[in-house]
Amino acid sequence: KIDLVGFDACLMGMIENGYWIKDYAKVMVSSEEKEPGYGWPYTPILSMLTQNPAMSAEELGKIVVQEYIKSYGSTTDNVTLSAIDLDKVNDVGLWTNNLVNLINDGYWDKIKYGKDNVQGYGQDGTIIDLSHFARLICAAITETNIQNAANRLIEAIDSVIIANGEKYSPDSHGLSIY
């Protein structure tokens, strides 16, 4: 497996991308949001890697997230970047499917509420923060089995997040979905 796959590109922090590469890489670093400006600050990142070439993929992922968020200190744009543990991404897929299957019948108004209020990305907001959506569904639907599935999805997402950084996007929890 490759230690770390980094997407220095807009809107790549999706579960679909993580699931697609999970068998080929250990860590994915990507942004849920559009990347403003020039992308990643490679000089400080590579300088730290050169000083400690034996660092783990998880350590490097944390550094990339930290340096990226720091590099956009003066921007007023939304900024997000996360490092994802791809060895745990199967659980996110499992609980996403579980929640979708439970809410798929008869909850269209609650799904619409969630979609209308969720943290979205891109020009049309069709890419959304998966954890924030699950939190909105959990708040809107009081059935125990749906709340349990939503909470398990949130826990699964939290468990794959090695590092998450954001500016002006407090409902960005590190992993989006289309």
PDB file of all heavy atoms in Angstrom, residues 7 18 34 38 43 49 55 57 64 82-83 86 91 103 111 135 144 146 154 159 167 169:
ATOM      1  N   PHE A   7      -4.645  14.647  -2.109  1.00  0.00           N
ATOM      2  CA  PHE A   7      -5.345  15.323  -3.193  1.00  0.00           C
ATOM      3  C   PHE A   7      -5.229  16.827  -2.973  1.00  0.00           C
ATOM      4  O   PHE A   7      -5.940  17.387  -2.145  1.00  0.00           O
ATOM      5  CB  PHE A   7      -6.823  14.924  -3.223  1.00  0.00           C
ATOM      6  CG  PHE A   7      -7.071  13.496  -3.612  1.00  0.00           C
ATOM      7  CD1 PHE A   7      -7.479  12.564  -2.669  1.00  0.00           C
ATOM      8  CD2 PHE A   7      -6.916  13.081  -4.920  1.00  0.00           C
ATOM      9  CE1 PHE A   7      -7.722  11.248  -3.021  1.00  0.00           C
ATOM     10  CE2 PHE A   7      -7.163  11.764  -5.290  1.00  0.00           C
ATOM     11  CZ  PHE A   7      -7.559  10.847  -4.335  1.00  0.00           C
ATOM     12  N   GLY A  18     -12.314   7.973  -0.782  1.00  0.00           N
ATOM     13  CA  GLY A  18     -11.648   7.153   0.221  1.00  0.00           C
ATOM     14  C   GLY A  18     -11.949   5.679   0.041  1.00  0.00           C
ATOM     15  O   GLY A  18     -11.056   4.824   0.131  1.00  0.00           O
ATOM     16  N   LYS A  34     -13.742  23.656  -1.804  1.00  0.00           N
ATOM     17  CA  LYS A  34     -12.860  24.128  -2.870  1.00  0.00           C
ATOM     18  C   LYS A  34     -11.596  24.690  -2.218  1.00  0.00           C
ATOM     19  O   LYS A  34     -11.673  25.339  -1.182  1.00  0.00           O
ATOM     20  CB  LYS A  34     -13.541  25.223  -3.698  1.00  0.00           C
ATOM     21  CG  LYS A  34     -14.681  24.701  -4.534  1.00  0.00           C
ATOM     22  CD  LYS A  34     -15.167  25.755  -5.495  1.00  0.00           C
ATOM     23  CE  LYS A  34     -16.390  26.409  -4.945  1.00  0.00           C
ATOM     24  NZ  LYS A  34     -16.941  27.439  -5.799  1.00  0.00           N
ATOM     25  N   TYR A  38      -3.468  28.872  -3.820  1.00  0.00           N
ATOM     26  CA  TYR A  38      -2.357  28.130  -4.397  1.00  0.00           C
ATOM     27  C   TYR A  38      -2.267  26.672  -3.961  1.00  0.00           C
ATOM     28  O   TYR A  38      -1.339  25.970  -4.332  1.00  0.00           O
ATOM     29  CB  TYR A  38      -1.043  28.830  -4.048  1.00  0.00           C
ATOM     30  CG  TYR A  38      -0.960  29.158  -2.577  1.00  0.00           C
ATOM     31  CD1 TYR A  38      -0.537  28.214  -1.666  1.00  0.00           C
ATOM     32  CD2 TYR A  38      -1.360  30.408  -2.102  1.00  0.00           C
ATOM     33  CE1 TYR A  38      -0.504  28.487  -0.316  1.00  0.00           C
ATOM     34  CE2 TYR A  38      -1.318  30.699  -0.757  1.00  0.00           C
ATOM     35  CZ  TYR A  38      -0.888  29.739   0.130  1.00  0.00           C
ATOM     36  OH  TYR A  38      -0.869  30.025   1.458  1.00  0.00           O
ATOM     37  N   THR A  43       6.648  23.707   0.866  1.00  0.00           N
ATOM     38  CA  THR A  43       7.961  23.948   1.470  1.00  0.00           C
ATOM     39  C   THR A  43       8.013  23.532   2.939  1.00  0.00           C
ATOM     40  O   THR A  43       8.876  22.735   3.321  1.00  0.00           O
ATOM     41  CB  THR A  43       8.389  25.412   1.269  1.00  0.00           C
ATOM     42  OG1 THR A  43       8.430  25.674  -0.137  1.00  0.00           O
ATOM     43  CG2 THR A  43       9.747  25.682   1.878  1.00  0.00           C
ATOM     44  N   LEU A  49       9.217  16.648   6.528  1.00  0.00           N
ATOM     45  CA  LEU A  49       9.395  15.268   6.093  1.00  0.00           C
ATOM     46  C   LEU A  49      10.879  14.954   5.900  1.00  0.00           C
ATOM     47  O   LEU A  49      11.345  13.873   6.267  1.00  0.00           O
ATOM     48  CB  LEU A  49       8.616  15.006   4.801  1.00  0.00           C
ATOM     49  CG  LEU A  49       8.705  13.593   4.234  1.00  0.00           C
ATOM     50  CD1 LEU A  49       8.216  12.551   5.237  1.00  0.00           C
ATOM     51  CD2 LEU A  49       7.911  13.496   2.932  1.00  0.00           C
ATOM     52  N   MET A  55       8.836   9.298   9.544  1.00  0.00           N
ATOM     53  CA  MET A  55       7.537   9.550  10.177  1.00  0.00           C
ATOM     54  C   MET A  55       6.461   8.681   9.521  1.00  0.00           C
ATOM     55  O   MET A  55       6.559   8.321   8.356  1.00  0.00           O
ATOM     56  CB  MET A  55       7.164  11.027  10.138  1.00  0.00           C
ATOM     57  CG  MET A  55       6.690  11.551   8.800  1.00  0.00           C
ATOM     58  SD  MET A  55       6.048  13.236   8.854  1.00  0.00           S
ATOM     59  CE  MET A  55       7.467  14.197   9.292  1.00  0.00           C
ATOM     60  N   ALA A  57       2.651   7.671   8.096  1.00  0.00           N
ATOM     61  CA  ALA A  57       1.689   8.335   7.212  1.00  0.00           C
ATOM     62  C   ALA A  57       0.716   9.186   8.024  1.00  0.00           C
ATOM     63  O   ALA A  57       0.332  10.275   7.595  1.00  0.00           O
ATOM     64  CB  ALA A  57       0.930   7.298   6.386  1.00  0.00           C
ATOM     65  N   VAL A  64       0.417  17.896   7.199  1.00  0.00           N
ATOM     66  CA  VAL A  64      -0.159  18.506   5.999  1.00  0.00           C
ATOM     67  C   VAL A  64      -1.398  19.320   6.365  1.00  0.00           C
ATOM     68  O   VAL A  64      -1.545  20.475   5.946  1.00  0.00           O
ATOM     69  CB  VAL A  64      -0.493  17.440   4.927  1.00  0.00           C
ATOM     70  CG1 VAL A  64      -1.237  18.077   3.758  1.00  0.00           C
ATOM     71  CG2 VAL A  64       0.765  16.734   4.442  1.00  0.00           C
ATOM     72  N   SER A  82      -8.504  17.373   5.616  1.00  0.00           N
ATOM     73  CA  SER A  82      -8.542  16.262   6.568  1.00  0.00           C
ATOM     74  C   SER A  82      -7.585  15.165   6.153  1.00  0.00           C
ATOM     75  O   SER A  82      -7.332  14.959   4.972  1.00  0.00           O
ATOM     76  CB  SER A  82      -9.950  15.661   6.621  1.00  0.00           C
ATOM     77  OG  SER A  82     -10.879  16.624   7.020  1.00  0.00           O
ATOM     78  N   ALA A  83      -7.107  14.447   7.154  1.00  0.00           N
ATOM     79  CA  ALA A  83      -6.358  13.213   6.945  1.00  0.00           C
ATOM     80  C   ALA A  83      -7.251  12.076   7.414  1.00  0.00           C
ATOM     81  O   ALA A  83      -7.765  12.103   8.537  1.00  0.00           O
ATOM     82  CB  ALA A  83      -5.042  13.239   7.725  1.00  0.00           C
ATOM     83  N   LEU A  86      -7.671   5.187   6.001  1.00  0.00           N
ATOM     84  CA  LEU A  86      -8.412   4.384   5.029  1.00  0.00           C
ATOM     85  C   LEU A  86      -8.622   2.941   5.472  1.00  0.00           C
ATOM     86  O   LEU A  86      -9.497   2.253   4.939  1.00  0.00           O
ATOM     87  CB  LEU A  86      -7.708   4.428   3.672  1.00  0.00           C
ATOM     88  CG  LEU A  86      -7.689   5.810   3.016  1.00  0.00           C
ATOM     89  CD1 LEU A  86      -6.850   5.784   1.745  1.00  0.00           C
ATOM     90  CD2 LEU A  86      -9.100   6.308   2.726  1.00  0.00           C
ATOM     91  N   ASP A  91     -16.234   0.820   7.663  1.00  0.00           N
ATOM     92  CA  ASP A  91     -17.309   1.055   8.622  1.00  0.00           C
ATOM     93  C   ASP A  91     -18.141   2.279   8.246  1.00  0.00           C
ATOM     94  O   ASP A  91     -19.353   2.286   8.468  1.00  0.00           O
ATOM     95  CB  ASP A  91     -16.756   1.222  10.037  1.00  0.00           C
ATOM     96  CG  ASP A  91     -16.298  -0.092  10.647  1.00  0.00           C
ATOM     97  OD1 ASP A  91     -16.664  -1.156  10.111  1.00  0.00           O
ATOM     98  OD2 ASP A  91     -15.566  -0.045  11.652  1.00  0.00           O
ATOM     99  N   ILE A 103     -33.812   5.430   6.324  1.00  0.00           N
ATOM    100  CA  ILE A 103     -34.555   6.681   6.096  1.00  0.00           C
ATOM    101  C   ILE A 103     -35.138   6.771   4.695  1.00  0.00           C
ATOM    102  O   ILE A 103     -35.891   7.703   4.403  1.00  0.00           O
ATOM    103  CB  ILE A 103     -33.684   7.932   6.375  1.00  0.00           C
ATOM    104  CG1 ILE A 103     -32.527   8.056   5.387  1.00  0.00           C
ATOM    105  CG2 ILE A 103     -33.224   7.951   7.819  1.00  0.00           C
ATOM    106  CD1 ILE A 103     -31.729   9.341   5.520  1.00  0.00           C
ATOM    107  N   ILE A 111     -35.343  14.201   5.142  1.00  0.00           N
ATOM    108  CA  ILE A 111     -34.163  14.187   4.285  1.00  0.00           C
ATOM    109  C   ILE A 111     -33.991  15.557   3.634  1.00  0.00           C
ATOM    110  O   ILE A 111     -32.890  16.095   3.570  1.00  0.00           O
ATOM    111  CB  ILE A 111     -34.272  13.079   3.222  1.00  0.00           C
ATOM    112  CG1 ILE A 111     -34.258  11.704   3.893  1.00  0.00           C
ATOM    113  CG2 ILE A 111     -33.148  13.190   2.200  1.00  0.00           C
ATOM    114  CD1 ILE A 111     -34.628  10.555   2.968  1.00  0.00           C
ATOM    115  N   ARG A 135     -26.001  14.096  11.761  1.00  0.00           N
ATOM    116  CA  ARG A 135     -26.412  14.811  12.980  1.00  0.00           C
ATOM    117  C   ARG A 135     -27.775  15.474  12.793  1.00  0.00           C
ATOM    118  O   ARG A 135     -28.618  15.452  13.710  1.00  0.00           O
ATOM    119  CB  ARG A 135     -25.364  15.861  13.351  1.00  0.00           C
ATOM    120  CG  ARG A 135     -24.044  15.262  13.794  1.00  0.00           C
ATOM    121  CD  ARG A 135     -22.905  16.290  13.779  1.00  0.00           C
ATOM    122  NE  ARG A 135     -21.625  15.629  13.787  1.00  0.00           N
ATOM    123  CZ  ARG A 135     -20.858  15.500  14.865  1.00  0.00           C
ATOM    124  NH1 ARG A 135     -21.239  16.007  16.014  1.00  0.00           N
ATOM    125  NH2 ARG A 135     -19.709  14.861  14.772  1.00  0.00           N
ATOM    126  N   THR A 144     -35.699   5.272  17.404  1.00  0.00           N
ATOM    127  CA  THR A 144     -34.475   4.774  18.026  1.00  0.00           C
ATOM    128  C   THR A 144     -33.538   4.107  17.027  1.00  0.00           C
ATOM    129  O   THR A 144     -32.325   4.355  17.050  1.00  0.00           O
ATOM    130  CB  THR A 144     -34.815   3.788  19.161  1.00  0.00           C
ATOM    131  OG1 THR A 144     -35.679   4.445  20.090  1.00  0.00           O
ATOM    132  CG2 THR A 144     -33.569   3.314  19.871  1.00  0.00           C
ATOM    133  N   ILE A 146     -33.170   4.605  13.862  1.00  0.00           N
ATOM    134  CA  ILE A 146     -32.562   5.601  12.973  1.00  0.00           C
ATOM    135  C   ILE A 146     -31.541   6.428  13.737  1.00  0.00           C
ATOM    136  O   ILE A 146     -30.443   6.697  13.238  1.00  0.00           O
ATOM    137  CB  ILE A 146     -33.642   6.475  12.309  1.00  0.00           C
ATOM    138  CG1 ILE A 146     -34.465   5.602  11.350  1.00  0.00           C
ATOM    139  CG2 ILE A 146     -33.021   7.676  11.601  1.00  0.00           C
ATOM    140  CD1 ILE A 146     -35.652   6.278  10.743  1.00  0.00           C
ATOM    141  N   ILE A 154     -21.819   8.595  12.709  1.00  0.00           N
ATOM    142  CA  ILE A 154     -21.001   9.699  13.246  1.00  0.00           C
ATOM    143  C   ILE A 154     -19.758   9.140  13.936  1.00  0.00           C
ATOM    144  O   ILE A 154     -18.645   9.642  13.737  1.00  0.00           O
ATOM    145  CB  ILE A 154     -21.845  10.573  14.202  1.00  0.00           C
ATOM    146  CG1 ILE A 154     -22.940  11.297  13.421  1.00  0.00           C
ATOM    147  CG2 ILE A 154     -20.960  11.561  14.964  1.00  0.00           C
ATOM    148  CD1 ILE A 154     -24.053  11.862  14.287  1.00  0.00           C
ATOM    149  N   SER A 159     -13.933   8.024  13.873  1.00  0.00           N
ATOM    150  CA  SER A 159     -12.826   7.075  14.038  1.00  0.00           C
ATOM    151  C   SER A 159     -11.860   7.089  12.855  1.00  0.00           C
ATOM    152  O   SER A 159     -10.714   6.688  13.005  1.00  0.00           O
ATOM    153  CB  SER A 159     -13.354   5.661  14.266  1.00  0.00           C
ATOM    154  OG  SER A 159     -13.802   5.080  13.055  1.00  0.00           O
ATOM    155  N   LYS A 167     -11.514  26.491   8.410  1.00  0.00           N
ATOM    156  CA  LYS A 167     -11.710  27.912   8.689  1.00  0.00           C
ATOM    157  C   LYS A 167     -13.053  28.287   8.103  1.00  0.00           C
ATOM    158  O   LYS A 167     -13.312  28.008   6.931  1.00  0.00           O
ATOM    159  CB  LYS A 167     -10.627  28.753   8.003  1.00  0.00           C
ATOM    160  CG  LYS A 167      -9.317  28.812   8.744  1.00  0.00           C
ATOM    161  CD  LYS A 167      -8.407  29.839   8.120  1.00  0.00           C
ATOM    162  CE  LYS A 167      -9.026  31.172   8.389  1.00  0.00           C
ATOM    163  NZ  LYS A 167      -8.334  32.341   8.104  1.00  0.00           N
ATOM    164  N   SER A 169     -15.909  27.040   8.437  1.00  0.00           N
ATOM    165  CA  SER A 169     -16.779  25.901   8.127  1.00  0.00           C
ATOM    166  C   SER A 169     -16.918  25.002   9.354  1.00  0.00           C
ATOM    167  O   SER A 169     -16.481  23.861   9.360  1.00  0.00           O
ATOM    168  CB  SER A 169     -16.204  25.077   6.961  1.00  0.00           C
ATOM    169  OG  SER A 169     -16.348  25.731   5.756  1.00  0.00           O
TER     170      SER A 169
END
